[in-house]
Structure formats: structure tokens, C-alpha cells
Amino acid sequence: MSLPIAVLVSGSGSNLQSIIDRIEQGVLDAEIKLVVSNKAGAYGIERAKRHGIPYRVLLHTDYPSREAFDQEMVDAIREAGVDETGIVVMAGFMRIVTPVFLGAFENRVINIHPALLPSFAGVNGQADAADYGVKISGCTVHFVDEEMDHGPVIIQAAVPCQAGEDGDVLAPRILKLEHRVFPQAIQWIAENRLEIKDRHVELRVAGRPCAEQPKADIHPSTYALVWPPLEKGF
Ligand code: GAR
């Protein structure tokens, strides 16, 4: 059976699109049961509509507390058919979730962040890294815990940064990698190949062939470093 997932978005939803595309290509064995946006007009909702995926717009401003909003999301996700075998995927969801949410989906919520955690957590990961002047940044997929951008790391991808580049230059370079590592992480969960031991996420080897190593889009000879390596199809 395909892995049932709910995808939470707040904006453009390009990561949602990368998940939809991999499912439609038959390489990601998951089914999106529901897309939830906490922002009216989020383009991610248009993507859900276009692909016939159920969606809900739940405005957090309509709820008296974070907990009340989170409970509403839990109820909507459960009603849509994501049970304890499924996961919740935060794809550009710009909101901290409370224990009400995490307790309902224990160790089954993942997030993507556009920096190499634990550096540059928060809502401006790419710009914060560029402004700091780092030579390498990237993205991180991790399990979500009660601290922001903090839970056990599943996969990271690193790209070079050059002097004078700002967050707007860095963001698309990182986003291209996000679109590869996020569906891969979900597929590992679909295959039940991840185990969390303290903060360490172990990936069970399955002998799958590796994907071609991604280019880092900066110089013809520059590759991104992705670890664990992407498998064929991702
Ligand atoms: C992505 O870059 C994602 O990593 C980031 O928001 C963007 C959403 O883009 N998330 C965070 O910064 C979370 N702290 P998308 O809506 O096109 O997928």
C-alpha cells in the first residue's frame, strides 16, 4: 500500500509539486490524501486543485490558540485518511506546530529547511547564510520535534556560495536540491528504511543504484554533495 501523506504549505508549493511529480512518475510510492494551507491564496492550493488532490485552507488567524488550530489540522488530516501508518510533510509551512500536533503524529512529521541545520534556522535560511558569508550552504530534511528546525536529520544537500551572492541568488540553487532530497526522504519512509536512534537517523541499505550526482549550478565542474546519496529516480 502507498504511504498516505498530508502536505502542509504556506506559499508557492514548489516542493509539493516535486512530490506530486515523483508520485506521478511512479518513483515515489505515496498518496497525497490532503494538502493544507494556512494562507489564503497560497499557490500550493492551485497545484493541489490542478492534480485533483483534496485540500483545505485553514487560517490560523481564525483560531483562539495555536493548540486549537493544530487540533483542527489533526482532525482534517485524520478525516482525509492519514492514519498512524502515514506521515505529515511540512513543505514550506511557515508555522511552528505544538505538542497537540506532534503528539498525534509521533515521529511522523518531517520538514524541509533551506540551510544546513543547525545553522541558520528560522524563516530566512538562505538570506541569513548568504549575509553571513558562508562558503557552503544547502538544505536539510529532518523529523520535526518541539524545537524549531531541530529534529533528527534525514538527509542534507550542500552547495557552494560565492562572495557577493545574496539570499535571492542562493535560494533557487538550494531549491533545485530541495526538489530532489525531499521526495527521496519520503520514499525512504515509504520503504520503512529509516530508524531514529537518539538524534541519529539510520538508513537501511537496500542495494538500490544511485542517481547521477546533482550539479550545483554554479560552475560546470561543481557538484552538490548529497548525503546519504540519492537513489535512482530522485
Ligand atoms: C522552501 O525553500 C523551504 O525550504 C522553505 O520555504 C520554501 C518553500 O518553497 N521552508 C522554510 O524556510 C522553513 N523554515 P515552496 O513553497 O516553493 O516549496
Side-chain angles (χ1 to χ4, degrees):
M1 197 195 73
S2 298
L3 178 73
I5 66 177
V7 182
L8 312 185
V9 300
S10 298
S12 147
S14 71
N15 276 290
L16 165 65
Q17 188 68 53
S18 75
I19 296 164
I20 294 171
D21 292 346
R22 291 296 197 247
I23 292 172
E24 290 185 351
Q25 289 160 11
V27 290
L28 173 53
D29 186 15
E31 185 186 349
I32 304 176
K33 298 280 195 185
L34 185 68
V35 171
V36 177
S37 170
N38 68 324
K39 290 269 169 69
Y43 191 66
I45 291 300
E46 296 309 312
R47 297 180 195 271
K49 282 184 193 165
R50 208 185 297 153
H51 291 268
I53 299 168
Y55 63 90
R56 295 279 301 271
V57 178
L58 299 175
L59 303 180
H60 56 266
T61 44
D62 288 347
Y63 296 84
S65 65
R66 282 185 177 275
E67 287 75 15
F69 174 68
D70 281 2
Q71 189 58 56
E72 184 72 20
M73 284 204 298
V74 169
D75 293 345
I77 291 168
R78 288 263 185 257
E79 272 165 34
V82 178
D83 57 13
E84 56 288 338
T85 66
I87 64 166
V88 179
V89 174
M90 293 171 53
F93 186 66
M94 298 305 197
R95 228 184 128 71
I96 293 168
V97 287
T98 65
V100 167
F101 194 82
L102 294 174
F105 304 105
E106 216 183 329
N107 288 334
R108 300 199 73 82
V109 183
I110 65 171
N111 179 46
I112 188 151
H113 181 71
L116 292 175
L117 293 174
S119 292
F120 310 113
V123 292
N124 293 309
Q126 308 97 325
D128 291 346
D131 293 349
Y132 191 89
V134 296
K135 294 299 183 200
I136 297 175
S137 192
C139 58
T140 304
V141 180
H142 64 95
F143 286 102
V144 175
D145 67 9
E146 284 166 24
E147 277 179 58
M148 186 181 62
D149 298 330
H150 174 268
V153 173
I154 300 170
I155 184 170
Q156 290 185 303
V159 295
C161 314
Q162 306 204 96
E165 290 181 336
D166 62 11
D168 292 341
V169 176
L170 207 49
R173 187 178 303 148
I174 294 172
L175 195 60
K176 268 177 78 171
L177 273 287
E178 295 186 38
H179 295 162
R180 298 188 62 170
V181 300
F182 213 11
Q184 171 71 87
I186 298 167
Q187 179 61 17
W188 285 335
I189 296 172
E191 294 175 359
N192 197 22
R193 286 171 56 197
L194 300 183
E195 194 177 339
I196 306 173
K197 293 184 174 168
D198 300 322
R199 277 203 55 87
H200 295 248
V201 179
E202 252 177 43
L203 170 65
R204 274 187 282 278
V205 176
R208 303 244 193 289
C210 285
E212 216 174 279
Q213 202 184 343
K215 287 273 189 187
D217 197 22
I218 182 170
H219 178 274
S221 69
T222 312
Y223 288 86
L225 173 63
V226 181
W227 196 261
L230 295 166
E231 295 171 353
K232 211 166 179 322
F234 292 94

